[in-house]
Structures are given as structure tokens and as C-alpha cells.
Amino acid sequence: MKRNSKTGAAEQQRLAAQKEGREPWRLWGPYLSERAWGTVREDYSADGTAWEYFDHDQARSRAYRWSEDGMGGLCDEQQRLCFALALWNGQDAILKERAFGLTGNQGNHGEDVKEVYFYVDATPSHSFLRYRYKYPQAAFPYSQLVDENARRTRADPPFNLLDSGVFVHDRYWDIEVAYAKAAPELMHIRIVASNRGPETATLHLLPTLWCRNTWAWGDDIGFKPHLALTDAPKGAAWAIRAKVEGLGDYHLYGRQSAQPLFTENDSNAEKLWGQSNRTPFVKDAFHRRVVQGEAAAVNPAHTGTKFAAWHTLTVAAGETMTLELVLSATPLLEPFAASEETFAQREREADDFYRALLPGKEAERTVLRQALAGMLWNQQFYHYDVARWLDGDTSRPPASHQFGRNKNWRHFKLAQVMSVPDSWEFPWFAAWDLAFHTLSLGLLDIEFAKAQLGTLLREDTLHPGGQIPAYEWAFGDVNPPVQAMAVLKLYRMERAQGGTGDRSFLRRSLHKLLLNFAWWLNAKDSEGHGVFEGGFLGLDNISVYDRSQPLPEGYRLKQADATGWMAMFALNMTLIALELAVEEPDYEEVALQCYSQFLSMANVMAGNVDHSPSLWDAQDGFFKDVIVTPQGERHRIDVFSMVGIIPLFACEVVEPRLLKNVPRFEKMLLAHAGGMFDGHTICACPAHTNERGEHLLALADHTMLPPILRRLLNENEFLSAHGVRSVSRIHATHHDLGWLPAVGHALIEYLPGESNSGLFGGNSNWRGPVWLPVNYLLIETLLKFHQYLGDNFKVAVPCLDDCEMTLREVACLLAERITAIFQRDAEGHIPAFARDDPHQDNAHWRNLLLFNEYYHGDTGQGLGASHQTGWTGLVANLLCLLHTQSHKDDTP
């Protein structure tokens, strides 16, 4: 989508200033995790039990080693100084300083945050941010949430905060935190507390400023950070000065009177381990002072490394109270003089920015804006030095640590802002998730998106052998190779936005991706034939058995999805090389090699090499996995799932401009015209070009599309009212597949909602729900096929009584169904929420959205992780796509 230079200009100027190094607008942002406890980084146990080693209860008293967490907070990009909320309703047993949730072992469907909060708004420079938290006025039901979920089985839905009854009669606080930057290092902060209940209530609100603990781990840091009370300027009731090495002095001002509290961000060793504290003032001091009334817990000298301004607010029913603060790198004479103007201006600029991104309907723009706000709020400071984690700091961890998780990744060392799937459920980057994140982030800030992909390919992350780290629980796990897809897509996005693509980015990425491509060929193609198998590939619980585990000796599983992902990878690399060859002909060699690999994969997938089976079932018109016995017998696994759709994603259109400098590559295209390879027809590499002179390179040809789409567009099979299901609904009844060699009695289930197995993670179910990343790739693939085949190629659409549609129309149909998940239907309901959810009709909830991990295959209700689960941000891309497609024929 071409950028409109006349609107959204202020935010675009800030991004340009950041890119050119003139102003560090991204220095401060929402980089504070929602959860730092229960992570691999904080786990120094002997047996790798991260959830139990450092739990939520300890987090109140125990200093973190690697990162910090907080509610609605922000910090600088190296997380040296942090700001967030702390709350107490006068009823809870603990001061609420961080979100509560169940560990992976406590939840009946895995880890699960049990709070109600929303990422309402954000701009990519973080010039404007809004976060909403709903805090019960009754005692927070910590024990009830744990106990009730412990009683439930995987067959039951999870028990959530809304189910506990604490929001009945609106007896809760709506607390909104907003940030408006007047300059890169000058932030105005507004905290609005609204009493939604029917009676006057009291809230203790403690804006908190603190330093990440960098002094307890044996580092020579020069000097320890220092916070202290200082003289308040005009209009301020109090002021704090923070001295932080590498960041300089910062000043926090408060407009409303408050009681200042100071302590150190150090562990309460006496409480935790029965040892002497190094200081009498420790991390849990504010809890002890506010909740337990222990005056001696805080430092009377008003200094430390952690500060809170204790406000006690008594608010009448239906009324609000506002706190105003300013955080500045320079001392201010009148810190609040420009607060109103700054907030108003930044909100107008945010409106302009999003209006330029998606003109048209306000309801659609609300979905896009909150989806992208979630993408921006889920950027966190990610800090992990594997060698140091393995070896320990001031004391050595258990010997078993050296031989456990990530032991082969000692080179890995990161300390930077990363996009994470969900900063409570998944507060760490995940490589295949991140590739999709960058596509949504590319709508906002293409430079940040490119840098995120570049991080995965750096020497301190990419394994020397070429493997991309999966996620911190096991960097060596294998996920689909989608990074080359993201690189190529970002290059095209930037060219569409501004007319020029970043060839340097493309070149750097290709060189590193070649290492990763070689790793895949060597590690996951056991016979060197081009058919891939084994490993966790994201969709594994679709299968009839755990594909991560080896089959008995001599048996082989040939995976349609694994081979499809790799064929897509090969074509992505081919197109990247061809783009570079437009100006640098030497890259023709890379294009030739990658395309040769693609042809080899297609040849084997078609069953034309030795005893390799064809993964295309011509009778059923679908791609399927195949088990090969030691005797060479082939047994198809008759599952209709996303596994058989993924081979479609290996599809690229070669425009004539890409062939001007690559005569040998063009000759190769002609040599294999008609998809011929070694005397066999193997793929859609046609003998002719379309009217624009374009070539289509794909695993599937035009004869395969109609039978596949007949299943995908049938509401009794794959198609739901909310997108394409990951497993066909026919398996709701046809779940017994009979006997399979090496597997035994094979069963497959259609599970439209929560998973009934914890094998692949509590919040991971690919056996029926709608997942956005694969739906997005399917829609993009259909548009590529349409680009080549044109309007004359139509398919019958079963959900529309076999009405014929172009592939572009089919793509839009799917995009419309997915985006409808988040919009009100004809009855005024939002499918993403249950019918009795307050989001449906309560005035204080109805305009707030959540973006879940996946969506119920029949109802569209959001399931799994709930707070902008990374790739669900792709709904923003689909809304932009629909807008672009609807105006495609409007321009003269």
C-alpha cells in the first residue's frame, strides 16, 4: 500500500528521525515484560523446572537476574530504568505489582494469564500509548483461580477471572495509563482511575520507578544506580532524581500529593532462603508497608533503587480521579505546563497515522488499531547470555545445568528489544512467530521489522551450523522455515510503500539464509532426496502420532507439510536471488542452485525418485503424509488437515523484469517447461507465460487447485464462518483411520476448541481451530495464483452453491470471514467473545478487543493465549489487503 504523505506525517517524521539517527524516539517504549518469573532465563534448578523454580509468589520478594516485569509499564531500550503501576484495593493479601496467572503445570490448558487488561493504543515511535486494566474491588480470587482450574480436566474449559464473579454489578476499577512523549526523553504520564461500582470505594495507586538489578551478579558496573527525593519545581507536588549509568540523570515529577516510598531492588534473602539480607530495605518493601502496615520496611532516608508514590484515592460511584506525572532526562521548571497540549496533539497524530494506514470504516480501523497496538506493546527487552546462564554468576548453578537446556548454544547472547508473541504467556521471542510479527510490524515501521529478522540471522543468535534458534525453552527445536518468506515480503512491502526496496537488507539476509537452508538440507532430509521428515513443525498435533518421535527402525514418515515448507523456502530464496540479480548478475548462481533444489523436492514429492511415494493423492485431490515400511510399502495417512494445504504455499510468480540479467536461469525455466524434470511432470512450471510474460513456479498446478479448494471452501469440511479450520470437520465423525504400520490403530479428531492433549504445549491445538498465520499464507498464495492465472480461471465455491469465483474473490472471501471474528455481526455480537461476555453489550467493555492465539472452528471464539498473540496481528494485514483489493479497479 502506497503511503499517503499528507496524513500521518508527524509520526512518519519521527520514524525518519529515528532511522537517520537524529532523534532516538524508540529509546523509551513498552519494553517491560508482563511476566519475568517462570522463564527459562530465571531457571537455575537442577532439573529444568522453570515454572516452579521462580514462581509468581517469589517475584514479589526476589530480584530478577535477566529482566523486569510490571503492569502497563515502560522502560528504556536496555531496561536500565523502569516505570509501571502497583495497586491495592484494600482487600487483597498482596500488593499487585504484576499480572497473575497459572503456570504451565497449574492450568488445565497450560499457562494462562488470569487478569483483564487491554492494549488500547500505540504508535510505532511510542509517542502515544494507552493501556487499560480492570481491577476488582473485592479481594482478587488468587486461590479460587488455582483451585478451580486444578479440579478441571482438559475436557473442561479454563476457569477465568470473569467466571469468578468478581465483576458482578461492575464492582471494579477501570485504570487507564497513557503516555505521550513531548520529546524522545520527555514523557507525560496520565493515570485515570474510574470507579465503575455502585458505591464509593478506595484505591491505593502507586506509580513505581526502579532500576533493573545489575549490581548483584558480579558485574563491574562502575556505580550502583541511585534514586532520591529532590526539590519539586512549580506545579509539582514531589520530584525524584534517578542517576543511572549509561542513561544519565532522569527526573520523575508528580502533580498530585503522595507519600514517597523508597527501597532497594534486592532479594529478601531472609524470607526466601533464611539468609541475611545485604540491605534492610528489599524488593517487597512496598507490599509490606502498604498491605501489612510495616513502616520500617521502607527507607526513611528517601533513597534507594526502587521508588513508589503512594496515592490513596477515595472515589465516588461512577466518578474518576486522575494522576499526572512527567519523566524527563532534563530538569524542568514547570513540568506540567504542556501536558494537556501534548496529550491532545499526540492523540490527533495517532488518529492521522491510522487513518492514513486504513481509510474507510471506523469499525475496521478500530480492529486494525488495537491489533497493531498489541503488536507494539508486546515488544520487550530480551536479555539472555547462554554461556553466562550455564556457568552461573556469583555462584555456580547445579552441575546438571551444563548438560541441560540450550547447552549447545553457548554463543547465543542478546540484550535488546524483541517482538514477542505475548509478553505474559510467551515472554520470549519465537523464531517462526517472529517472522509473521514482522509482516504486521512492517505496516507500521519497516525498519524495526527488518531489524527483527536481522537479529535472528546475526552471529550471536544463528547457530554456527546454520540453525535459527526456535525459542528459549529449546533453541534447538525445529519450526517451519518461514524467515525467507518474511524477508521477501518485507522487501516487497517497502517497495510498495515508498517505491524502493532495501537491497542491502535483501543481500545480507540471503547470505545468512543460505546457511540456514544448508542446515535444513543436511539435518532434515535423511536420504538426501528432497523429502523432509521429523522435528516439531508447528502443526504436529494434527497427526495421528507424535511426529517429533522416531518411527521404528526402517520405517520412514514422509511429511507433506515439512516438504511443502522447504519447497516454499527454496522458492523464496530463488526470488530473493533473482531480485538481487536485477542489478548484480552474479546472484544468478544462487537462483539456479535454489531453484534446482525446489525442482528436486517437487520431483520427489511427485514420487519420481527411487521408492519415494507421491504425497499427492490424486483420487482425493489432496496432499497427505505417507509412511514407508522397510520393504518399501507405502501407506497414506488419510488425514484432511492443514498438513495437506501447506504445499500450496510453495508458489511464486516470476515477472519478466527479473529475467533480464539471468539468461542461464531463463534457460533452466525453458528446459523444465511444463513442470518437466527427469522426464516427469512434477509441478506448475508451465511451458507458457501469461499475457504479462510472467512465469508461475509452484508445487501445485491449475489442475490441483479446484479439488483442493472444493474441500477448503466446503463448510462441512474446512471452511468455517471465521476462516479455514486446521482440520477438516469430516474428522468429527471420520476419526478412525484403521491400522497403520509402525503406528498401530490410527485416530484423528476434529477439536474445534481447546486441545485434549498437553503434548505440544497447553495452548497449542491445531486439530480444528482457525489459526491466522496459515490462513494468511493461504490467502497470499491464492492472490499469487490469481496474478498468474487471471480472471478467466474460476473455481466452484461449495459454500455459495457452487457459484464460480476467481481466486482473488476467493482470497477476499476468506479474508472477510477472518476479519469478521473481531467485528459485530448482524445480531450485534463479536464472534471472538462468548455470547454472555461483557464485551458484547457493556458500555465499558464493548470497544475493547483481545487477540487470541487461535479461534474456535465453529463459533469463532478466541482461545489459547489472549493478549495479542503475535501472529494474530495479521488481521491488520488482512484488513489492509481487503481495502487494497476493493480499490484495485478504482484507479484510472
Side-chain angles (χ1 to χ4, degrees), residues 820 823-831 833-835 839-841 846 859:
Q823 300 179 69
R824 296 193 180 276
D825 59 21
E827 298 176 4
H829 296 118
I830 299 175
F833 298 111
R835 284 300 179 101
H839 288 88
Q840 302 292 9
D841 51 28
R846 61 180 285 119
T859 68

Side-chain angles (χ1 to χ4, degrees), residues 504-742:
S504 178
F505 161 71
L506 207 59
R507 189 183 304 110
R508 293 192 310 273
S509 301
L510 178 62
H511 294 169
K512 290 299 187 74
L513 286 167
L514 284 169
L515 293 176
N516 183 237
F517 191 55
W519 177 85
W520 273 94
L521 295 175
N522 293 325
K524 295 300 175 183
D525 178 12
S526 62
E527 298 176 347
H529 285 163
V531 173
F532 295 79
E533 58 195 71
F536 178 71
L537 283 167
L539 316 181
D540 291 68
N541 66 9
I542 282 179
S543 189
V544 296
Y545 86 106
D546 181 359
R547 299 189 305 180
S548 296
Q549 301 303 315
L551 289 169
E553 186 174 355
Y555 289 87
R556 293 168 294 152
L557 175 69
K558 300 304 181 182
Q559 294 179 212
D561 57 337
T563 308
W565 287 124
M566 280 303 296
M568 183 185 84
F569 191 1
L571 284 184
N572 296 152
M573 297 286 280
T574 301
L575 268 291
I576 291 172
L578 290 176
E579 285 284 0
L580 289 169
V582 170
E583 295 182 12
E584 302 168 83
D586 286 347
Y587 281 97
E588 181 181 26
E589 296 291 340
V590 178
L592 287 164
Q593 187 61 45
C594 292
Y595 186 53
S596 294
Q597 294 289 353
F598 167 76
L599 289 173
S600 177
M601 295 170 198
N603 201 33
V604 180
M605 201 161 183
N608 296 326
V609 176
D610 296 335
H611 299 290
S612 294
S614 171
L615 302 185
W616 171 251
D617 185 339
Q619 182 174 345
D620 278 338
F622 209 71
F623 290 100
K624 299 177 182 177
D625 287 354
V626 174
I627 291 176
V628 182
T629 70
Q631 294 76 36
E633 297 172 348
R634 308 172 186 184
H635 296 263
R636 293 194 191 283
I637 302 178
D638 290 321
V639 172
F640 295 93
S641 74
M642 192 60 68
V643 166
I645 298 172
I646 285 166
L648 289 180
F649 302 165
C651 171
E652 288 291 345
V653 177
V654 179
E655 302 166 10
R657 67 177 180 85
L658 297 176
L659 299 177
K660 291 181 179 178
N661 272 346
V662 286
R664 291 172 60 209
F665 184 84
E666 188 170 20
K667 183 178 179 181
M668 176 183 276
L669 286 182
L670 296 175
H672 302 296
M676 297 298 292
F677 189 79
D678 288 351
H680 303 282
T681 302
I682 58 169
C683 63
C685 299
H688 58 84
T689 59
N690 64 13
E691 66 276 10
R692 290 182 299 277
E694 296 169 334
H695 293 263
L696 176 71
L697 312 182
L699 280 181
D701 64 21
H702 63 286
T703 66
M704 296 174 172
L705 286 175
I708 295 175
L709 290 175
R710 187 155 198 86
R711 294 185 181 278
L712 292 189
L713 301 175
N714 187 329
E715 291 177 326
N716 294 319
E717 297 193 36
F718 279 98
L719 187 63
S720 80
H722 317 290
V724 174
R725 304 171 172 114
S726 45
V727 165
S728 172
R729 204 171 185 279
I730 65 171
H731 290 302
T733 53
H734 179 56
H735 49 79
D736 188 340
L737 305 184
W739 179 87
L740 282 174

Side-chain angles (χ1 to χ4, degrees), residues 222-255:
F223 68 92
K224 184 178 177 180
H226 181 73
L227 309 182
L229 203 62
T230 188
D231 294 336
K234 182 179 179 180
W238 51 266
I240 303 297
R241 183 172 68 181
K243 288 181 166 293
V244 184
E245 187 175 29
L247 196 60
D249 287 7
Y250 268 79
H251 306 263
L252 180 66
Y253 303 102
R255 194 167 193 172

Side-chain angles (χ1 to χ4, degrees), residues 77-94:
E77 60 189 356
Q78 284 295 304
Q79 203 173 82
R80 292 159 289 200
L81 187 61
C82 308
F83 176 89
L85 290 186
L87 306 164
W88 188 50
N89 57 13
Q91 305 296 320
D92 290 351
I94 65 173

Side-chain angles (χ1 to χ4, degrees), residues 270-525:
E270 182 178 336
K271 174 187 176 181
L272 293 165
W273 307 296
Q275 302 172 1
S276 298
N277 286 328
R278 69 172 73 195
T279 170
F281 311 112
V282 290
K283 183 178 179 180
D284 57 15
F286 302 162
H287 158 78
R288 290 155 56 204
R289 175 66 187 93
V290 174
V291 179
Q292 298 178 344
E294 188 180 334
V298 296
N299 189 347
H302 289 164
T303 64
T305 50
K306 183 179 179 184
F307 159 81
W310 182 9
H311 301 79
T312 303
L313 310 179
T314 299
V315 185
E319 299 298 320
T320 67
M321 290 191 73
T322 300
L323 301 183
E324 296 171 272
L325 303 95
V326 171
L327 182 62
S328 173
T330 57
L332 302 174
L333 296 177
E334 295 185 61
F336 299 98
S339 285
E340 288 292 331
E341 179 186 349
T342 301
F343 270 104
Q345 182 176 345
R346 292 295 178 260
E347 186 164 9
R348 283 196 304 270
E349 291 166 353
D351 291 343
D352 289 344
F353 178 79
Y354 283 107
R355 195 175 295 112
L357 189 59
L358 185 63
K361 296 178 182 177
E362 185 66 30
E364 293 176 349
R365 191 159 55 250
T366 296
V367 176
L368 171 134
R369 190 164 175 169
Q370 289 192 42
L372 294 177
M375 297 301 305
L376 294 166
W377 273 94
N378 277 299
Q379 296 173 12
Q380 70 167 61
F381 171 71
Y382 184 83
H383 188 200
Y384 192 16
D385 179 339
V386 172
R388 188 157 190 181
W389 177 77
L390 290 170
D391 297 340
D393 290 298
T394 54
S395 61
R396 292 189 65 81
S400 58
H401 214 231
Q402 290 283 343
F403 306 100
R405 186 175 283 127
N406 296 330
K407 65 181 182 298
N408 296 322
W409 292 78
R410 292 183 65 89
H411 72 288
F412 185 97
K413 185 176 182 179
L414 274 189
Q416 69 174 68
V417 174
M418 296 293 292
S419 175
V420 302
D422 177 320
S423 66
W424 196 98
E425 306 272 4
F426 311 116
W428 24 260
F429 78 86
W432 88 296
D433 302 58
L434 182 59
F436 291 104
H437 299 183
T438 63
L439 305 186
S440 296
L441 292 168
L443 296 173
L444 298 165
D445 184 353
I446 199 79
E447 293 302 322
F448 179 78
K450 291 186 299 184
Q452 289 288 287
L453 284 176
T455 296
L456 291 182
L457 302 173
R458 273 186 355 211
E459 72 283 354
D460 50 5
T461 51
L462 185 71
H463 195 277
Q467 186 177 8
I468 291 174
Y471 37 75
E472 68 177 34
W473 286 90
F475 280 144
D477 270 3
V478 181
N479 288 158
V482 291
Q483 289 74 31
M485 174 276 297
V487 166
L488 185 58
K489 181 67 177 175
L490 286 181
Y491 175 81
R492 290 167 172 170
M493 286 175 71
E494 186 169 19
R495 190 172 62 196
Q497 290 171 7
T500 305
D502 185 346
R503 298 180 59 79
S504 178
F505 161 71
L506 207 59
R507 189 183 304 110
R508 293 192 310 273
S509 301
L510 178 62
H511 294 169
K512 290 299 187 74
L513 286 167
L514 284 169
L515 293 176
N516 183 237
F517 191 55
W519 177 85
W520 273 94
L521 295 175
N522 293 325
K524 295 300 175 183
D525 178 12

Side-chain angles (χ1 to χ4, degrees), residues 202-223:
T202 299
L203 172 70
H204 299 263
L205 204 158
L206 294 84
T208 305
L209 184 74
W210 75 100
C211 300
R212 179 166 59 90
N213 189 319
T214 56
W215 54 87
W217 319 107
D219 291 321
D220 180 10
I221 61 168
F223 68 92

